[in-house]
Amino acid sequence: MKQDTQILYELSRRLKSPYDELFINSAEFGKLLGVSQQSSSRYLTRLESRGLIERKVTGRGQSIRLTERGVEALRKMHTELENFFRTHAEIQVRGRVVKGLGEGAYYIGKYSERLKDALGFEPYQGTLNLDVKGKFSPERAKTIRIEGFKEGNRCFGDITCIPASISHGKSKVDCWIIIPERSHHRDELELIGKFNFRKKLGLRDGDVVEVSFS
Amino acid sequence: MKQDTQILYELSRRLKSPYDELFINSAEFGKLLGVSQQSSSRYLTRLESRGLIERKVTGRGQSIRLTERGVEALRKMHTELENFFRTHAEIQVRGRVVKGLGEGAYYIGKYSERLKDALGFEPYQGTLNLDVKGKFSPERAKTIRIEGFKEGNRCFGDITCIPASISHGKSKVDCWIIIPERSHHRDELELIGKFNFRKKLGLRDGDVVEVSFS
DNA sequence: ATTACTAGTTCCCGAGTAT
DNA sequence: TATACTCGGGAACTAGTAA
């Protein structure tokens, strides 16, 4: 296992810039790495012999700076992490499939016609519930509003729908996040779509899926 | 030495996003790390037990994804590298002190009055030469132009000056980069200032210094 | 196929210490 | 004071192999 980069990284944390230098003794540098003075010294001589750092060793410590090659090694790591974390236009939330209360199917049935009008298709009569541990915040999302209605003496409130997609493994299908007017489950996300997602994506309780929306 | 992060990093290089998953067998993952199938397997079970990754192990390989905690470990590293590499408003060039040709002092003497007019002080009669291996490119720098003149039948060309600062260790002093009209030494930087920099900063040939300018 | 345990080997760590 | 070498003990590696 390459550990050179790990040491270069710990060094970089103590430098203000790639051209800065650190004056330190091998015992103190060892503490930064969680190793002994001897190992620290060994690491530093090794990094120097590999052309990743330059040192001026004195009787009172040593000044350490990265060489061009050392900086390049860190820059490569930085670039790859930058790419990994680059925020996509899409907002992504990861959630875990959980059992719904069975209410979903009932309500989708009641709203069926209105959903068909708004979304352009008649949704599968059931919801997929995801545990997202409060990580969902739809502030900036595009939404579609479905107005509430009364049936007899029962009230059915407004619903907000967010077009999204759900992906699991290599599969990705369109879906809609639905948010009842008075949402009580802040930690759960309710999804509807053309299909039974559990069958379509082969989902079981506890599976982790990713929901993307704009 | 902590190597967990190094392994997480190698994993992240194979993922499209923090929520992506990688299907791979332990032998192949070992190759990515440069270790055996057995070590690779040991690493993965350890990372899992530490809550840094989640796995679904099957008879044909395993799908691996980062946990929230694993993502956080990488994000911390990314943030610190971001800080380390953050481009300052200042442009920084690192150079190595080299012997000049002795011409510097002669020319500074000739331009002395004009430099005093332009820069506001009479410079030390000598230059500090830095080997910058072609890394210096003053495209966007603020410059001060000093016009050339004739003395008898000798021509002294225009000079471009860039206000800058030179730092070495903890010391940092103002200086000017001077660029003769027909600069022949693309790999060298010539600096002037109020002082003898070699004395002021305790410089010797081969020392690395940093020059900053805007 | 895999994963991952056991066992034997390598090599790394750090205490002691020379310089 | 430092750095960094030697060397004994142990951690970590991998070959073999069970599941």
Side-chain angles (χ1 to χ4, degrees), chain A residues 1 6 77 81 84, chain B residues 2-15 29 33 43-44 47-48 51-54 64-67 69-75 77:
Chain A
M1 267 290 303
Q6 195 61 35
M77 179 173 247
L81 286 173
F84 179 67
Chain B
K2 279 186 67 75
Q3 60 184 22
D4 285 4
T5 321
Q6 195 62 35
I7 302 168
L8 291 182
Y9 167 68
E10 288 298 334
L11 173 59
S12 80
R13 295 178 60 194
R14 308 286 157 168
L15 301 177
F29 192 68
L33 300 173
Y43 290 161
L44 290 171
L47 286 181
E48 188 179 36
L52 294 166
I53 61 170
E54 277 175 8
I64 312 171
R65 66 154 32 93
L66 293 164
T67 61
R69 197 163 155 226
V71 173
E72 279 317 305
L74 284 175
R75 199 188 303 279
M77 182 173 244

Side-chain angles (χ1 to χ4, degrees), chain B residues 35-36 38-39 42-43:
Chain B
V35 299
S36 67
Q38 288 88 341
S39 289
R42 185 156 33 81
Y43 290 161

Side-chain angles (χ1 to χ4, degrees), chain B residues 163-180:
Chain B
S165 68
I166 175 173
S167 57
H168 178 246
K170 301 248 174 277
S171 310
K172 188 169 187 173
V173 296
D174 288 339
C175 67
W176 274 258
I177 302 168
I178 61 173
I179 306 172

Side-chain angles (χ1 to χ4, degrees), chain A:
Chain A
M1 267 290 303
K2 277 186 69 74
Q3 59 183 20
D4 286 2
T5 321
Q6 195 61 35
I7 303 168
L8 291 181
Y9 167 69
E10 288 298 334
L11 173 59
S12 80
R13 294 179 60 196
R14 309 286 158 170
L15 301 177
K16 288 193 204 66
S17 79
Y19 305 116
D20 196 14
E21 71 181 2
L22 176 68
F23 190 85
I24 197 171
N25 64 51
S26 57
E28 286 301 313
F29 192 67
K31 282 182 194 167
L32 299 181
L33 299 174
V35 300
S36 66
Q37 175 269 319
Q38 291 87 341
S39 289
S40 165
S41 173
R42 187 154 31 83
Y43 290 161
L44 290 172
T45 52
R46 191 193 294 161
L47 286 181
E48 187 179 36
S49 73
R50 289 179 185 166
L52 294 166
I53 62 171
E54 276 174 9
R55 299 192 299 156
K56 281 179 203 154
V57 181
T58 74
R60 294 204 308 284
Q62 49 194 295
S63 64
I64 311 171
R65 66 153 33 92
L66 293 164
T67 60
E68 213 58 52
R69 200 169 152 217
V71 173
E72 278 317 305
L74 284 175
R75 199 189 303 280
K76 185 190 173 195
M77 179 173 247
H78 175 237
T79 305
E80 302 226 24
L81 286 173
E82 183 69 35
N83 189 51
F84 179 67
F85 281 116
R86 181 161 38 214
T87 51
H88 303 275
E90 301 234 303
I91 301 166
Q92 296 174 336
V93 180
R94 180 163 51 162
R96 200 175 283 276
V97 174
V98 293
K99 275 193 170 50
L101 298 173
E103 294 177 313
Y106 170 73
Y107 279 100
I108 300 307
K110 291 293 179 189
Y111 285 91
S112 188
E113 280 302 315
R114 289 175 171 78
L115 285 168
K116 190 178 177 184
D117 279 350
L119 308 180
F121 69 95
E122 193 162 337
Y124 169 78
Q125 304 252 331
T127 63
L128 182 71
N129 294 58
L130 301 182
D131 179 4
V132 293
K133 297 201 172 64
K135 284 179 290 188
F136 174 66
S137 49
E139 292 91 48
R140 303 172 301 171
K142 303 179 215 161
T143 57
I144 296 171
R145 193 128 189 116
I146 292 174
E147 297 206 349
F149 58 95
K150 282 191 182 181
E151 192 175 277
N153 55 359
R154 275 207 70 168
C155 273
F156 294 86
D158 287 359
I159 290 181
T160 301
C161 297
I162 300 173
S165 68
I166 174 173
S167 57
H168 178 245
K170 302 248 173 277
S171 310
K172 187 169 189 173
V173 296
D174 288 339
C175 68
W176 273 257
I177 302 168
I178 61 171
I179 306 171
E181 192 174 14
R182 291 194 197 90
S183 182
H184 26 293
H185 289 286
R186 295 237 159 241
D187 288 347
E188 282 193 19
L189 217 53
E190 229 169 333
L191 306 180
I192 61 169
K194 293 178 187 171
F195 318 104
N196 177 339
F197 291 130
R198 285 175 183 265
K199 281 189 182 166
K200 182 82 176 182
L201 298 173
L203 298 175
R204 293 175 171 200
D205 287 342
D207 283 353
V208 173
V209 299
E210 186 184 333
V211 176
S212 311
F213 58 96
S214 303

Side-chain angles (χ1 to χ4, degrees), chain B residues 4-207:
Chain B
D4 285 4
T5 321
Q6 195 62 35
I7 302 168
L8 291 182
Y9 167 68
E10 288 298 334
L11 173 59
S12 80
R13 295 178 60 194
R14 308 286 157 168
L15 301 177
K16 287 192 206 68
S17 81
Y19 305 115
D20 194 16
E21 72 182 0
L22 176 67
F23 190 85
I24 195 171
N25 63 51
S26 57
E28 287 300 314
F29 192 68
K31 283 182 194 168
L32 299 182
L33 300 173
V35 299
S36 67
Q37 175 271 319
Q38 288 88 341
S39 289
S40 165
S41 174
R42 185 156 33 81
Y43 290 161
L44 290 171
T45 51
R46 189 193 295 161
L47 286 181
E48 188 179 36
S49 73
R50 290 180 185 165
L52 294 166
I53 61 170
E54 277 175 8
R55 299 191 301 155
K56 282 180 203 152
V57 180
T58 75
R60 293 206 308 285
Q62 49 195 296
S63 64
I64 312 171
R65 66 154 32 93
L66 293 164
T67 61
E68 213 58 51
R69 197 163 155 226
V71 173
E72 279 317 305
L74 284 175
R75 199 188 303 279
K76 186 190 171 195
M77 182 173 244
H78 175 236
T79 305
E80 301 227 25
L81 286 173
E82 183 70 35
N83 190 50
F84 180 66
F85 282 114
R86 180 161 39 214
T87 51
H88 301 275
E90 302 232 303
I91 301 166
Q92 296 175 334
V93 180
R94 179 162 53 159
R96 201 175 280 277
V97 174
V98 293
K99 276 194 169 51
L101 298 173
E103 295 176 313
Y106 170 74
Y107 280 100
I108 300 308
K110 291 294 178 187
Y111 284 91
S112 187
E113 279 304 313
R114 290 173 171 81
L115 285 167
K116 189 177 178 185
D117 279 350
L119 309 179
F121 69 94
E122 193 162 336
Y124 169 79
Q125 303 253 330
T127 63
L128 182 71
N129 294 58
L130 301 181
D131 179 4
V132 293
K133 295 199 173 65
K135 284 179 291 188
F136 174 67
S137 50
E139 291 92 50
R140 304 172 301 170
K142 304 179 216 162
T143 57
I144 297 172
R145 191 126 190 118
I146 292 176
E147 298 204 349
F149 58 95
K150 281 191 181 181
E151 193 176 277
N153 56 358
R154 275 206 70 168
C155 274
F156 294 87
D158 287 358
I159 290 180
T160 301
C161 297
I162 301 173
S165 68
I166 175 173
S167 57
H168 178 246
K170 301 248 174 277
S171 310
K172 188 169 187 173
V173 296
D174 288 339
C175 67
W176 274 258
I177 302 168
I178 61 173
I179 306 172
E181 191 174 15
R182 292 192 195 92
S183 182
H184 27 293
H185 288 286
R186 295 236 159 241
D187 288 347
E188 283 193 18
L189 217 54
E190 229 168 334
L191 307 180
I192 61 168
K194 292 177 189 173
F195 317 103
N196 177 338
F197 291 129
R198 284 176 184 263
K199 281 188 181 167
K200 182 82 177 181
L201 298 172
L203 298 175
R204 294 177 171 200
D205 286 342
D207 282 354

